[in-house]
Amino acid sequence: MIIDEVLKIGKTILKNAGLKSPILDSEILMSFVLNNSREFVLLNLNKNLERKKVIHFEDLITQRLKGKPIAYLIKKKDFWRHEFLIKEDVLIPRPDTETLIEEILNFTKSKHNQRILDIGVGSGCILLSVLKEKKDFQGIGVDISKKCISLSKANAQKLGLINRVKFFQSDIDNFANGKYDLIISNPPYIKKHDLKYLEKDIIEFEPKLALDGGLDGLSKIRKIIIKSSELIKKKGKFILEIGLDQKKNVKDLLNKNGFYIDKIVQDLAKNDRCIISTKI
Ligand code: GLN
């Protein structure tokens, strides 16, 4: 069979199952099978596809049909300006989180030699994106998940940042290592009872550990704010991603723990997404 025919089968299967982007998904999966770009796929539609590759493609389509996210199938995801390695049990980087990077780069424009701590570093996408842009910054990433730590190390290696970053597998409560100019975190903040309303692709495949914020959605945020107030330098900046309707509660928590609110930033969908504060 030629690539075009196989691709059409994939698109039809995904479309009939009601998936949101059957064409794009099939093309991305085909480019993964061919270990080449989407452009290559589209320019070579009339080329023959080896049987082994047809089977590989069909297997990926079957997994996608069950809702497995594309990033877990192709083991990578673009975030900000780089491609990150991704694996299951690690949260897939979200475009909304790029809001944090923009803000960090804005207020660190004239800053040098800053020490950054990322709490719940996950794939490393936030910390490593910032380090890549700010050549004299140093970073520490902490995560309770062993898989996250090994993946963020692999991403640091891939981006040539291994000399400026260290990772620790730890609960943040047990971490007492140094003082930081900048603390960043995208913690789990979904209310336990709301997890079931997340899209099927998310709730059935992404790690609950990275999503579940306890009964009020604030259990991890609360703990991170308290701990950050100890780990941050005076006048240090704290950048936190938050969920829908958490602005007021998180502002109060920050104020109570000695932070002054600088700014609340909305994402592209106009939801409050990021709170920037300064330790007084
Ligand atoms: N923004 C993510 C989602 O809606 C949640 C990430 C998080 O809890 N930190 O799926």
Side-chain angles (χ1 to χ4, degrees):
M1 281 206 279
I2 59 167
I3 292 178
D4 196 31
E5 288 172 295
V6 183
L7 205 50
K8 276 192 181 127
I9 297 173
K11 288 176 192 172
T12 309
I13 294 176
L14 297 185
K15 186 161 181 255
N16 291 344
L19 266 81
K20 274 195 220 136
S21 44
I23 300 176
L24 183 64
D25 286 7
S26 308
E27 288 172 3
I28 293 174
L29 294 177
M30 182 60 83
S31 58
F32 177 65
V33 167
L34 294 173
N35 195 18
N36 219 311
S37 65
R38 245 178 91 212
E39 290 69 27
F40 175 89
V41 172
L42 299 174
L43 289 170
N44 289 277
L45 290 172
N46 289 322
K47 286 235 171 77
N48 195 53
L49 193 64
E50 287 167 52
R51 197 173 146 62
K52 218 173 62 189
K53 297 204 161 138
V54 176
I55 293 170
H56 186 193
F57 178 75
E58 284 173 351
D59 172 52
L60 293 169
I61 290 287
T62 309
Q63 294 191 62
R64 182 70 195 110
L65 200 55
K66 292 180 189 150
K68 191 186 261 199
I70 289 281
Y72 289 149
L73 292 171
I74 66 172
K75 303 175 176 58
K76 58 192 179 201
K77 174 82 183 175
D78 286 333
F79 178 83
W80 193 246
R81 302 223 262 153
H82 304 282
E83 183 187 273
F84 288 83
L85 304 169
I86 294 301
K87 63 181 173 192
E88 281 166 58
D89 303 319
V90 178
L91 191 80
I92 301 168
R94 313 287 206 250
D96 289 340
T97 301
E98 292 178 344
T99 312
L100 272 71
I101 311 286
E102 256 173 70
E103 290 302 320
I104 296 167
L105 295 178
N106 264 337
F107 70 72
T108 55
K109 245 181 213 139
S110 55
K111 294 255 159 66
H112 291 283
N113 303 308
Q114 304 276 289
R115 274 169 59 82
I116 318 178
L117 173 67
D118 186 333
I119 303 176
V121 68
S123 60
C125 67
I126 308 178
L127 180 62
L128 299 173
S129 293
V130 174
L131 291 179
K132 199 70 192 165
E133 306 263 350
K134 306 293 290 182
K135 306 288 178 215
D136 56 6
F137 286 17
Q138 307 268 336
I140 303 268
V142 178
D143 206 294
I144 197 163
S145 149
K146 199 171 168 183
K147 283 213 172 128
C148 286
I149 293 300
S150 87
L151 187 68
S152 42
K153 273 186 191 160
N155 277 319
Q157 188 88 44
K158 183 173 188 274
L159 294 171
L161 290 169
I162 211 77
N163 297 330
R164 283 196 285 133
V165 66
K166 282 201 182 82
F167 296 99
F168 295 97
Q169 187 206 346
S170 171
D171 186 310
I172 193 60
D173 278 342
N174 304 327
F175 182 82
N177 196 342
K179 288 268 186 189
Y180 298 86
D181 301 289
L182 213 64
I183 299 186
I184 50 190
S185 185
N186 174 15
Y189 53 65
I190 313 270
K191 287 191 190 112
K192 203 180 241 335
H193 294 299
D194 288 346
L195 287 171
K196 56 178 177 293
Y197 303 119
L198 292 173
E199 280 176 41
K200 174 176 165 249
D201 293 17
I202 300 178
I203 198 56
E204 285 187 11
F205 292 91
E206 297 208 59
K208 304 245 184 344
L209 190 62
L211 297 165
D212 186 349
L215 288 177
D216 65 354
L218 295 166
S219 71
K220 303 295 182 324
I221 289 187
R222 199 172 286 119
K223 161 168 152 158
I224 289 170
I225 291 177
I226 293 169
K227 195 65 194 184
S228 294
S229 77
E230 293 167 21
L231 291 166
I232 201 161
K233 290 183 191 171
K234 226 174 169 174
K235 294 203 181 133
K237 294 273 184 195
F238 182 35
I239 303 94
L240 186 63
E241 179 168 328
I242 54 164
L244 296 174
D245 309 327
Q246 290 181 329
K247 176 168 77 176
K248 181 172 180 319
N249 288 332
V250 175
K251 265 173 144 180
D252 291 349
L253 281 169
L254 284 164
N255 288 151
K256 231 197 266 165
N257 285 281
F259 290 92
Y260 163 88
I261 314 292
D262 293 297
K263 198 173 175 191
I264 297 186
V265 192
Q266 297 182 328
D267 61 21
L268 293 172
K270 298 262 177 281
N271 294 315
D272 295 322
R273 182 58 61 195
C274 167
I275 295 198
I276 301 170
S277 56
T278 304
K279 177 73 179 171
I280 308 165

